[in-house]
Amino acid sequence: DIQMTQSPSSLTASIGDSVTITCRASQSINNFLNWYQQKPGKAPKLLIYAASSLQSGVPSRFSGSGSGTDFTLTVSSLQPEDFATYYCQQSYRTTLTFGGGTKVEIK
Amino acid sequence: QLQLQESGPGLVKPSETLSLTCTVSGGSINSSTYYWGWIRQPPGKGLEWIGSKYYGGSTYNSPSLKSRVTISADTSKNQFSLKLSSVTAADTAVYFCARIHMRELLLDYWGHGTLVTVSS
């Protein structure tokens, strides 16, 4: 299995802040990395695919970068609806794996 | 608009088999572009991929669950199903079905999820 490690596991931020979440793969996965947002009681929502491509309909304040083993998701100017848990997922192998999640909470 | 809906018992006894079905509407599972997959989330924990199924036959399962998982597809009903055998309390989770792009392996449509509790 390819292990995906996210950090931090949680963070607190204020409306308008910029936050960055990190995801590290246990081996190189090129740019085969997707990001999801999940709100309580809801299914995850795809935000970013192929490390940096914005899914249709997702606000441009979300951005992704990285390649190889290290990736980041940045949310610039946090909005109230952005407080949620974020997951990375490797798409390098058909045996998919997710990171442990990062919960973004209001300060 | 594509929609996925999970259905099945919400309570399963230990050692028995968990069975869930995902009904797809607004699109066909007979597609060479997509896999159809299952993901679960124990209460308060993260996401765990269970397995993916191509309607034409190929199946990929999580190595940690592989021996207990069966995913099948019924194209006549536009449904795909999950069977997880020999369940324990550790299998208590919300189970989601999802569409998976075969090329990018991204999950772009999800069901709402269904809670399955394993308890006697």
Side-chain angles (χ1 to χ4, degrees), chain A residues 2-7 22-26 35 69-71 88 98-101:
Chain A
I2 298 175
Q3 306 302 318
M4 306 302 295
T5 303
Q6 285 183 237
S7 61
T22 298
C23 179
R24 176 165 290 174
S26 60
W35 289 98
T69 60
D70 294 323
F71 302 86
C88 61
F98 290 91

Side-chain angles (χ1 to χ4, degrees), chain A residues 18-82:
Chain A
S18 177
V19 298
T20 296
I21 298 167
T22 298
C23 179
R24 176 165 290 174
S26 60
Q27 66 176 77
S28 177
I29 57 171
N30 296 331
N31 70 332
F32 293 99
L33 191 284
N34 306 318
W35 289 98
Y36 300 83
Q37 175 194 67
Q38 187 181 32
K39 297 181 180 179
K42 300 293 187 181
K45 171 188 173 184
L46 177 66
L47 298 176
I48 302 279
Y49 63 94
S52 60
S53 295
L54 198 65
Q55 174 70 348
S56 176
V58 174
S60 59
R61 63 181 180 273
F62 291 92
S63 63
S65 66
S67 67
T69 60
D70 294 323
F71 302 86
T72 59
L73 172 71
T74 298
V75 188
S76 60
S77 188
L78 271 172
Q79 298 301 299
E81 61 268 30
D82 301 336

Side-chain angles (χ1 to χ4, degrees), chain B residues 4 14 16 19 21 27 30 41 48 50 55-56 72 78 83-84 96 100 106-107 114:
Chain B
L4 294 85
E16 294 189 345
S19 296
T21 296
N30 289 2
Q41 184 170 39
E48 178 184 19
I50 299 170
Y55 87 96
S72 58
N78 217 35
K83 291 189 186 298
L84 180 66
F96 296 98
I100 304 170
L106 57 86
L107 292 74
T114 187

